[in-house]
Amino acid sequence: MTGFLIILVSSIFVNNFVLARFLGLCPFMGVSKKIDTAIGMGAAVTFVMAVAAMVTWVIQYFILAKFGIEYLQTIAFILVIASLVQLVEMVIQKTSPVLYQSLGIFLPLITTNCAVLGLAVLNIQVGYSFLESVIFAIGAALGFTLAMVLMAGIRERVDLGPVPKCFQGLPIAFLTAGLMSLAFMGFAGLVKG
Amino acid sequence: MIGAVLSLGGIGFLAAVILGFASKKFAVEVDPKEEAILNALPGANCGACGYPGCSGYAKAVASGQVDPSLCTPGGKAVVEKIAQIMGVEAVVADPMVAVVCCQGDNEKAKDKYKYLGVQDCITAQMLAGGPKDCPGGCLGLGTCVAACPFGAIEITPQGLAVIDREKCTGCKKCVSVCPRKVIKMTPKSATVHVLCNSHDKGPMVKSYCKIGCIGCQLCKRTSPEVYEVENFLASVKYDTYDAEQAIAGMEKCPTKCIRDFAAGYPEGSTFKS
C-alpha cells in the first residue's frame, strides 16, 4: 500500500511529467490560457493515460515480449495509443454528448501527446506491475493536470499585467514555466529513487 | 523479421478493424444541411446570433426553428445562402451597427482625477467609477478596441472610441464589454445619432462636458417624429427614422451633440464616411 502511495506522490510532485520530466509541453503551453480548458484537458489526459497504461502493459508483456520484438516498442505503442484515443472519442461522442462537448476537442490533441507515450515507455523501463503502472498513470496525469491548472491561473493574471512587448505571449509563458519548474525542484529528494 | 512484420501488422490490422467497426456502430448522424450551413457561415464564432459559435447556430438553423437571418457578420450574402440551403425565402433585415454615443473627448469633457493605472476601461471603472466626471461618457482606454474581432474601432488622439460603420458587423462584442454601456446598436441606414449618454440635468452636464445633451427638447420640438427626450437625454426613434427630419432636428441642437455620420466622423478619427 505504501508502495502505491510513494508512486503516486513521486509522479505527481517529485517527477512531475511537465515540470520535472518536460513531457507534454505542447498542450501545457497551448491549452493553459484559461483554467476551465486546463481542467478539461487534464481530465481528458487522466482518462486516456489510465487506459493507455493498461493497454500498453498488456501489449508489451503478452505480444512484444512473447515474440521477442521489444525493439518495436515505440512504434507499437504509438499505433495502439492513437487507435485507442480515436476509439474513445467515437464511443464518447455516441454515448455521452455532454462529456464529448467538454472533453471532445481535447481528445485529438492527446493522440500524439508525448506524455502519454512517455508514460507507457517509463512503465516498462521501471518494470512496474499492471496495478502499479495504472497507479503511476493516474499520478502522472494528476501531476500534469496540477501543472496545467497552476499555469492557467498564473497566465490569466499575467494577461492583465503590463508585459513588455518582447515578452508578450509565449515568451512570458515559457519564463513562467521555467520558474514553476524551479519551484517543483524543491520536491526533489522527497521520495527515494 | 517476418515475425516482427506479422505481429506489428497484426496489431495495426486489429486496430483498423476495431476502429472501422466502431465508426459504423458509434456513428453519430449529422444533418447534411447543418454541415452546408456551417460552411456558408463566415466562421468568425463571434456569437452575434446568440449561439455559442457558428456550429451552434448552424445546428439551430438546421433544426428549422431559428431564423436564418441572425448572422450579422455574414450580411446579406450569407443569409441568402442559408435560406437557399433551407429552402426558405430570405428576409434580410437592416443590418445593425454599433455607435459610441459620446463625443466627450479629453478636450471637451472634464476628468475628475488623473488615471494612471492599467490601460483598461473595466479596471478604470472600478476606481471610483472611472476618471471621467460624466457618469456615462467614453473612457477611451480601448477595451472595446481589443474586444472587436474585426478591427472596426479606433481611439482618436483626443481619447475617444470611434466605430467604423463600414467595418462594423454588429456582433455586439464591444457593447457587452463596455463598462459604461456607452456603445449602442443602431440601424446602418440611419446616419444621424445622439452622441451622448448622460442622463444628468442640463446644468450638471454643462459643468463637465461641452458637447453633452442638456435635455433642452429643441430637437424633439423640431422633429417629433424622429426624436424623443427621456430623463434629460435625447434619442433617435429608429422605427420612424427620416433622414431629412433628423437633420432638421440636428441643426437645432445647441450643444451639437447630435451628429450625422454621413457628414463625417468625430474629430481625429481616420475613418471616412
Side-chain angles (χ1 to χ4, degrees), chain B residues 48-85:
Chain B
C49 49
Y51 289 88
C54 292
S55 60
Y57 180 59
K59 201 172 180 177
V61 176
S63 72
Q65 291 154 348
V66 179
D67 193 14
S69 66
L70 294 180
C71 180
T72 33
K76 205 174 158 198
V78 167
V79 174
E80 275 168 1
K81 249 191 233 167
I82 298 175
Q84 205 182 358
I85 294 165

Side-chain angles (χ1 to χ4, degrees), chain A residues 65-147:
Chain A
K66 264 220 168 112
F67 294 105
I69 46 168
E70 284 96 340
Y71 60 90
L72 287 176
Q73 193 191 47
T74 311
I75 193 156
F77 282 5
I78 292 178
L79 180 71
V80 170
I81 292 170
S83 340
L84 182 74
V85 174
Q86 288 289 315
L87 184 69
V88 167
E89 190 182 352
M90 282 185 216
V91 174
I92 291 182
Q93 191 174 12
K94 180 73 176 179
T95 51
S96 168
V98 182
L99 194 65
Y100 182 74
Q101 282 285 330
S102 51
L103 292 189
I105 44 169
F106 304 114
L107 285 172
L109 286 176
I110 303 170
T111 317
T112 50
N113 186 342
C114 62
V116 182
L117 181 65
L119 170 102
V121 174
L122 276 172
N123 268 338
I124 309 303
Q125 271 178 8
V126 182
Y128 281 139
S129 72
F130 184 75
L131 204 57
E132 279 171 340
S133 52
V134 174
I135 299 280
F136 181 58
I138 292 172
L142 287 180
F144 179 83
T145 313
L146 177 73

Side-chain angles (χ1 to χ4, degrees), chain A residues 59 63 69 71-72 75-76 79-80 83 86-87 90-91 93-94 160, chain B residues 1 3-4 7-8 11-12 15 18-19 22-23 25-28 118:
Chain A
I59 294 273
I63 295 177
I69 46 168
Y71 60 90
L72 287 176
I75 193 156
L79 180 71
V80 170
S83 340
Q86 288 289 315
L87 184 69
M90 282 185 216
V91 174
Q93 191 174 12
K94 180 73 176 179
L160 290 174
Chain B
M1 170 65 190
S7 50
L8 197 62
I11 297 175
I18 293 176
L19 279 183
S23 70
K25 169 111 187 174
F26 295 105
V28 176
V118 179

Side-chain angles (χ1 to χ4, degrees), chain B residues 35-233:
Chain B
E35 219 176 312
I37 293 170
L38 187 59
N39 288 334
L41 288 168
N45 287 320
C46 65
C49 49
Y51 289 88
C54 292
S55 60
Y57 180 59
K59 201 172 180 177
V61 176
S63 72
Q65 291 154 348
V66 179
D67 193 14
S69 66
L70 294 180
C71 180
T72 33
K76 205 174 158 198
V78 167
V79 174
E80 275 168 1
K81 249 191 233 167
I82 298 175
Q84 205 182 358
I85 294 165
M86 291 298 293
V88 294
E89 219 164 284
V91 186
V92 181
D94 190 10
M96 301 291 274
V97 291
V99 167
V100 178
C101 291
C102 178
Q103 294 191 94
D105 55 31
N106 295 338
E107 292 156 10
K108 296 185 188 105
K110 275 187 197 152
D111 282 349
K112 58 183 165 204
Y113 62 86
K114 195 165 162 51
Y115 178 73
L116 294 172
V118 179
Q119 293 296 300
D120 176 79
C121 301
I122 297 169
T123 318
Q125 178 73 9
M126 279 188 244
L127 192 62
K132 272 233 160 99
D133 214 350
C134 170
C138 171
L139 294 173
L141 296 173
T143 297
C144 52
V145 177
C148 180
F150 304 98
I153 311 180
E154 66 172 5
I155 302 290
T156 64
Q158 291 91 331
L160 185 72
V162 179
I163 299 174
D164 188 334
R165 298 179 69 76
E166 287 309 312
K167 281 195 200 150
C168 178
T169 62
C171 75
K172 298 186 197 166
K173 281 237 161 101
C174 52
V175 175
S176 61
V177 86
C178 177
R180 304 199 120 194
K181 304 279 164 239
V182 68
I183 305 178
K184 288 175 185 147
M185 298 306 293
T186 60
K188 195 172 183 179
S189 56
T191 56
V192 179
H193 306 287
V194 179
L195 298 190
C196 182
N197 191 34
S198 168
H199 283 288
D200 284 333
K201 287 182 184 172
M204 187 76 178
V205 172
K206 272 192 170 164
S207 74
Y208 54 63
C209 186
K210 285 182 197 160
I211 198 161
C213 174
I214 53 175
C216 68
Q217 315 240 358
L218 269 179
C219 53
K220 187 185 171 187
R221 255 179 258 160
T222 316
S223 313
E225 291 286 301
V226 177
Y227 293 100
E228 63 182 344
V229 179
E230 209 174 306
N231 274 335
F232 311 101
L233 179 62

Side-chain angles (χ1 to χ4, degrees), chain A residues 9-18 20-21 193:
Chain A
V9 170
S10 83
S11 54
I12 294 179
F13 296 109
V14 186
N15 290 319
N16 187 293
F17 260 52
V18 180
R21 290 191 203 267

